[in-house]
Structures are given as structure tokens and as C-alpha cells.
Amino acid sequence: MSLSRSTPPDEFFPNGRHLEPQVETTPLPQTNGAEGVDPRLKDPIHSERRMKIICIGAGASGLLLAYKLQRSFNNFELVLYEKNEDISGTWFENRYPGCACDIPAHTYTWSFEPKHDWSAVYASSDEIRNYFESFATKYALHKYVKLQHRVDNATWNSQTDSWDVEITDLARPEGKSDNSQAPREKVIDHANILVNASGVLNAWKWPDIAGLHDFKGLLLHTADWDRSVNLEGKRVGLIGNGSSGIQVLPAIQPKVAKLTTFVRRPTWVFPTQGFEQHVYSEKERELFRTDPAAHLAYRKRQENATNNIFSMFLVDSDQQKTLFAQLVQAMNDKLGGVETPLAEKLVPKYGVGCRRITPGVGYLEGLSKENVEVVYGNIERITERGCISSDGMEREFDVLICATGFDTSYMPRFSVKGVKGRSMREEWSKEAKAYLGMGVAGFPNYFLVIGPNSPIGNGPTENIRSFSPKPEAVEDFIAHKDAFMKKTVWEHDCKSWYKANSVSGKVSALWPGSTLHYLEAIADPRYDDWEITYKGNRFAWLGNGYSQTEVDKTADLSYYIRNEDDSPLLGRRKALQVVNKSGTVFEREARSFLR
């Protein structure tokens, strides 16, 4: 078989052969020409439609989206609206003392973009923020970002098959020079595709405690930290023993005169997450820099340790039972023994992993320091001077720190209205329901970014008008998820943001399976789960009869002639065995999560 070597005339390519990404605002493309003829009939097959994408957030997910679009497509316009003064999302916002990565830093990178000079196994928030800043600079992603722009409303427009998005320009101060009040400028933008990459742990909240704002001392929240604050010699109250509280306590304990930590519930505190905290030597960093193979092997060893523990989350599994016993022993040892009041109050009875796993480097040891008091139970109310706890005692403080977390309801911070004005806030009033965590029925061309892959890159050449998951597909997925969760420790009676900060609610934050299971599940789109509508002839993408290979004068016109069959494998299992290098690991290491 051979293909025609004829070259079509220039008029067949009105949009040009090589299009560079555009960032300036342009009108959305129209599908039909003035005479009702699809203009893409003049182009070769699979010519890319120009797409306008708005992404909400310029944290890790937003930056990755920008990189992937830039790497894989030409004819697109992208804007990342970021409410903060700079990029990096949660790592820009969280700057409290001790804030660090809670998994080994060498695996807290994009899989294709390693960093060889991390200072320690659990790197600081400043280092992580610098990683994202460097990534954005290296790949020139800042051009897509509009800082201090907060998305307030997004409405699906069925007339234009696009999203109308209302944004507030936070860089423009409220009020005029004459001190009269004036609202900040509103910006209206439009997009074919809207991506919500604003994150889950983003909307921090004060604790619901009576009298909180009556406190006359300094009131702080870990997610809104003021780095100018000096805690030396101060009497400090710390509310909360979740991930942030566990990191804050050992960081400030040596500085303060007295530290009182209020604990309402027990929580599992891991000495490490499979790897001891360790500051890398110059020799180790030099090895990682000069020997990519050694660095890759180290990164894979850390990642393998994490990917090898999923069975611990299954109720009554051998790994859960073993880890439960190990962790009870480890916590009791650090708290002075099983009979001590601290151990009795702080060691949980629910399964390991019901709440988020946090490596508490120095936390348990810090609870026994002379200047630390642990108060167990509820805070009844807060006064001008301090806190009155359930024991009736008022403890006075100079500084009160709230390590009380975020709104984890998955509800967008902005108004979202889909087909026929359906409100996402109303749709999700009882439970947040999404298709594989990335699409919402009734909200076309709207995506949530929670992982490395999404269907955003599928079908940009076709005459697709809109696409959203079918309601029945969403309900089937939710039913499967709910049934699966009954087998896991995540449904144990512990208050967790996995369950929207409830004790016994539905698990809405976790995938029903392992991380590797998720990657395989979303590797290929299930098009029959999607409601796809077309504008005009769905086959207009076939174009003018010429192929993209013929358009590219530098391409090999007989690329399919070869000496061996190197085509992709069509069977899913065989294809996966090539990707995961099946047969190259002869004995997988059985690793305890505590070593």
C-alpha cells in the first residue's frame, strides 16, 4: 500500500501549518461559516479546533494542565485565574512553622520532573513552593497565569455552548482616592472548557467555638500565617491535632514559654512514612545530581514503598492487623507506656488510616516536654484572655493558634450553574457526586482536576458541542464506591476530612482502590459513559481529504513501512505489561510501613 505524494495548495490551510499557543483573549470560534458550511472542510483531517480553556487555580494541578496542553497541542488559548499573589497554591498559602511535605520529597514531584537537591526526606513548604516556581519558569508557564483574579461565578451558556465566567480583579483596591467606596473591577470571560483546579485543602476555616473573636491576644490560623510573629517566650494555645497541628507543635515548642495543646480526639501519629527523616549530605545530593540512574532507583524505592501498602486500608487484612499492633506499640513507647494518661487518651481504637496518615516527626516526644500541657476534651468557649475547657479551667494565652483545617465539602467556592440553570451547590447539598472524580452530570465541559490525567485532551479535532458524564454512569460509580468503602478502615468511626469532617458520613475524598488502580482505571476514556452532543456534521473533522502527514513537508510519507511490527498492542493487559515492565521484578520487597 502507498499513499499519494501530492501536495495540496496553500488555500487548503487557511490557519497555517504550525500554530503557536496563544494567550491573548480572542472570541470563541464559530462552528459554521457565513453560508452554513463548516470551515474545517477546507482543512486536512484531524486539524485542531481552536479551544479556549479557563482553569481556576495555579497550584500544582493548574501548572501541570498548562504544561501538558503546551506540550501536546498548538491551537488553544489558556488562562489560569489565581486568587493569590503568586502561584503554587497550598504551598503559597501554608507557611506555618514546621510546615513540610508529609511524604518523601523525592516522590512529591511530577513523575517526569525530578529534583536532585532536596534538603531532607520531608522537605519544607518553602522548598516545595520553589520547586513549582522553578517548574513554571523552566517551561514558561507564567504567561498563562493571571494573579489576584478570583472566580466568583461560572454559568453554562447553552446558546454559545460555552462557559460564561465572572472574575473579580483583586489587584485593584476597593474605594477611590476620595475614600468613597467602589467595588473591585469585574471581568467577564468565556471558555469552551472550564477546569476547576482550585484544590480541596484550600478554603481554610476558623473553628466553631463560642467567643473565638473575643480573644484579645494574637489569633492565628495555620493556613493564614503571619511570619512576622515572634513566639519567643510567649504563652501559646494550640487548637487541633490534625496534620498541621502535628507539624506546628514540635517546631514552636522549644521557643515558647508555655504551650498548651487542646486535643479532642485520638489520632494515629506515624514516626515516619516508611522512611526516617534525614537531612541529605552534600555527597548524597551530588550523587543524585551526577548519577541519574542512582537517583531514579532511589525515587522508585520510595514510590514502591508507598504503592505496596494498599491492603493496610482493608478491614481485617493481615497488613492492617500487623500495622495496628506495631503502631500501638510505637506510640505507647514514645508516650511513656501503655498505662500513661497520654497513651490512654491519644492512641486510637479505630483502624490505621481512617484519618489521613501523618508522619509526626518529634510530635509525640514534644507532648512530654516540661513546657507542654495536653488538655483533652472540648473547648467550651474562648474568652478575652484564653480558653475555658471542659474541665472548667480557664487557661490564659498571649497567642492562640488554630490548626483546625479546611472546608472539605468539595463544594466550589464560587457559584457554578450548569444546564438549565442547575446549581452545583444544590446538586451537591447532600453529597458531592462526580464521575471518576473528574466530571459532573449536567455540567458540560466542566472538569475537576484531582490527578495526573483527565479527558481534557480527548477529541479536540471533532465537531463536539458539549460533553458531560451521563447521570446513570455517575450513580453507578457512586454505588460501586459506597459498596467498596464498607470494606475499608475509612468508614470507621473517626472524624476525618475524607468524610467531609464527619464521623460517619460517606467517604467522598478517596478513590475506591489503590493509586495504581486509579491510573489504570482512567488510562482510557469510556466514551459510552459520556453524553456527547455535536454541532453540524460530526464527521466534518475528516476535512478536505488530505492527511496531516501530507501537510507536514518534513514527515516520512511511508512511515508505516518497517522491518518489524512495533505498533501499539491492542489488548489492554498486554499493553499494560509493556508499560509496567512486567517480568523485570523477580521478588517484590515486602516492606513494613514503619521502617
Side-chain angles (χ1 to χ4, degrees):
M1 173 185 175
S2 63
L3 296 177
S4 169
R5 293 177 181 271
S6 60
T7 302
D10 290 342
E11 59 263 27
F12 279 95
F13 316 111
N15 295 325
R17 284 177 51 215
H18 298 289
L19 295 170
E20 295 299 323
Q22 303 291 314
V23 295
E24 65 271 13
T25 301
T26 58
L28 293 178
Q30 299 299 313
T31 302
N32 294 324
E35 299 179 359
V37 177
D38 194 313
R40 289 184 301 116
L41 292 175
K42 298 179 180 180
D43 292 335
I45 189 172
H46 288 309
S47 290
E48 291 184 8
R49 290 171 53 193
R50 182 168 179 77
M51 303 293 286
K52 170 71 175 290
I53 302 111
I54 288 178
C55 177
I56 303 165
S61 297
L63 294 176
L64 183 61
L65 175 67
Y67 166 80
K68 290 291 188 180
L69 286 173
Q70 180 174 271
R71 179 176 183 266
S72 298
F73 299 101
N74 287 320
N75 198 10
F76 71 93
E77 180 182 343
L78 170 67
V79 183
L80 273 63
Y81 286 111
E82 171 56 58
K83 64 178 171 50
N84 291 327
E85 294 85 359
D86 209 342
I87 63 172
S88 302
T90 190
W91 299 109
F92 172 81
E93 296 176 348
N94 285 274
R95 311 176 189 182
Y96 58 83
C99 184
C101 192
D102 60 3
I103 62 173
H106 280 280
T107 64
Y108 196 78
T109 62
W110 287 300
S111 58
F112 57 88
E113 190 75 15
K115 175 179 166 64
H116 59 78
D117 59 349
W118 291 112
S119 65
V121 171
Y122 301 103
S124 70
S125 59
D126 285 344
E127 276 193 88
I128 298 169
R129 180 186 173 192
N130 288 338
Y131 171 80
F132 292 121
E133 287 277 4
S134 298
F135 179 84
T137 299
K138 177 179 178 180
Y139 295 105
L141 304 179
H142 287 92
K143 63 179 176 285
Y144 302 114
V145 182
K146 288 191 176 183
L147 299 172
Q148 292 185 273
H149 280 70
R150 184 190 66 217
V151 171
D152 296 324
N153 293 286
T155 302
W156 174 251
N157 188 328
S158 297
Q159 300 300 312
T160 60
D161 302 316
S162 63
W163 285 93
D164 298 333
V165 184
E166 181 181 300
I167 306 106
T168 298
D169 184 351
L170 300 176
R172 303 204 174 201
E174 289 185 291
K176 300 179 180 178
S177 57
D178 61 1
N179 293 325
S180 62
Q181 292 299 308
R184 289 190 170 101
E185 181 178 347
K186 295 287 185 180
V187 179
I188 304 298
D189 204 351
H190 312 277
N192 302 107
I193 294 175
L194 181 63
V195 180
N196 184 354
S198 59
V200 180
L201 303 181
N202 176 269
W204 63 271
K205 63 178 184 178
W206 293 110
D208 185 17
I209 303 176
L212 176 66
H213 296 285
D214 294 334
F215 182 62
K216 298 299 184 182
L218 181 61
L219 182 64
L220 296 170
H221 194 288
T222 50
D224 190 37
W225 193 265
D226 181 355
R227 285 193 166 180
S228 67
V229 171
N230 182 4
L231 297 178
E232 292 282 350
K234 297 293 196 298
R235 300 169 300 168
V236 177
L238 175 62
I239 302 174
N241 66 323
S243 298
S244 300
I246 288 172
Q247 291 184 335
V248 166
L249 187 142
I252 67 174
Q253 176 271 321
K255 303 175 183 178
V256 304
K258 176 69 179 294
L259 176 58
T260 302
T261 178
F262 294 91
V263 176
R264 286 197 301 170
R265 297 179 180 86
T267 190
W268 291 114
V269 180
F270 282 64
T272 63
Q273 281 219 37
F275 289 86
E276 294 287 347
Q277 173 64 312
H278 166 70
V279 176
Y280 295 114
S281 67
E282 183 58 40
K283 183 178 180 180
E284 288 172 311
R285 291 197 295 270
E286 179 66 11
L287 173 66
F288 295 152
R289 185 183 70 82
T290 59
D291 191 342
H295 188 206
L296 178 62
Y298 181 75
R299 293 167 59 210
K300 289 177 69 67
R301 188 161 68 251
Q302 290 185 328
E303 188 78 1
N304 288 342
T306 302
N307 283 337
N308 202 27
I309 63 162
F310 175 69
S311 63
M312 67 169 274
F313 297 111
L314 301 179
V315 174
D316 295 329
S317 68
D318 290 341
Q319 196 171 13
Q320 169 66 210
K321 293 176 182 177
T322 299
L323 186 56
F324 187 98
Q326 289 177 339
L327 199 51
V328 166
Q329 184 64 51
M331 288 187 66
N332 283 333
D333 290 346
K334 288 183 179 293
L335 293 171
V338 66
E339 301 297 333
T340 62
L342 276 180
E344 291 179 356
K345 296 290 187 181
L346 293 178
V347 179
K349 301 295 191 295
Y350 54 76
V352 179
C354 180
R355 297 181 69 182
R356 180 172 173 83
I357 296 170
T358 301
V361 180
Y363 176 75
L364 296 176
E365 298 88 337
L367 296 177
S368 301
K369 300 295 184 181
E370 290 185 1
N371 66 335
V372 175
E373 179 187 11
V374 180
V375 179
Y376 194 85
N378 292 323
I379 296 175
E380 298 298 328
R381 60 188 174 91
I382 295 175
T383 67
E384 294 183 356
R385 298 181 298 273
C387 301
I388 298 178
S389 56
S390 54
D391 60 8
M393 183 182 299
E394 181 180 18
R395 294 169 173 85
E396 298 184 2
F397 307 113
D398 304 306
V399 181
L400 189 58
I401 300 172
C402 298
T404 47
F406 303 84
D407 176 359
T408 56
S409 65
Y410 277 87
M411 195 71 69
R413 298 177 69 176
F414 50 93
S415 170
V416 184
K417 293 186 177 179
V419 175
K420 297 181 179 179
R422 293 169 61 179
S423 166
M424 188 171 292
R425 189 168 295 278
E426 293 177 4
E427 296 281 323
W428 283 6
S429 60
K430 294 181 179 179
E431 181 185 3
K433 294 182 178 181
Y435 173 78
L436 304 186
M438 63 180 68
V440 185
F443 295 81
N445 304 8
Y446 174 85
F447 292 102
L448 303 162
V449 178
I450 62 169
N453 300 304
S454 74
I456 191 69
N458 297 311
T461 68
E462 299 185 20
N463 252 6
I464 292 177
R465 177 179 183 175
S466 67
F467 50 104
S468 61
K470 295 176 181 176
E472 57 268 31
V474 175
E475 292 301 327
D476 281 352
F477 171 69
I478 295 299
H480 172 82
K481 180 264 297 182
D482 288 344
F484 179 88
M485 291 303 172
K486 296 183 185 302
K487 304 182 293 184
T488 72
V489 297
W490 299 321
E491 285 217 344
H492 283 187
D493 287 339
C494 71
K495 185 177 182 180
S496 167
W497 69 266
Y498 294 160
K499 297 174 283 193
N501 276 331
S502 70
V503 174
S504 57
K506 290 189 175 183
V507 179
S508 58
L510 298 172
W511 175 257
S514 68
T515 300
L516 292 174
H517 177 264
Y518 177 73
L519 295 181
E520 292 183 25
I522 67 171
D524 299 303
R526 287 175 45 87
Y527 292 108
D528 53 329
D529 290 344
W530 292 82
E531 207 165 68
I532 300 174
T533 63
Y534 297 88
K535 179 176 285 187
N537 190 312
R538 72 181 64 198
F539 289 107
W541 59 273
L542 288 172
N544 61 14
Y546 282 93
S547 70
Q548 290 291 331
T549 303
E550 292 165 286
V551 173
D552 187 349
K553 295 178 181 179
T554 66
D556 177 3
L557 295 183
S558 58
Y559 62 86
Y560 47 86
I561 302 296
R562 57 215 191 274
N563 290 329
E564 60 183 28
D565 186 0
D566 59 356
S567 60
L569 296 170
L570 302 181
R572 186 186 304 273
R573 184 173 181 183
K574 278 196 171 183
L576 181 61
Q577 287 174 331
V578 173
V579 173
N580 65 22
K581 301 179 177 64
S582 178
T584 62
V585 177
F586 298 101
E587 185 176 357
R588 185 174 294 159
E589 179 184 9
R591 185 181 184 87
S592 168
F593 200 61
L594 294 182
R595 67 176 174 86

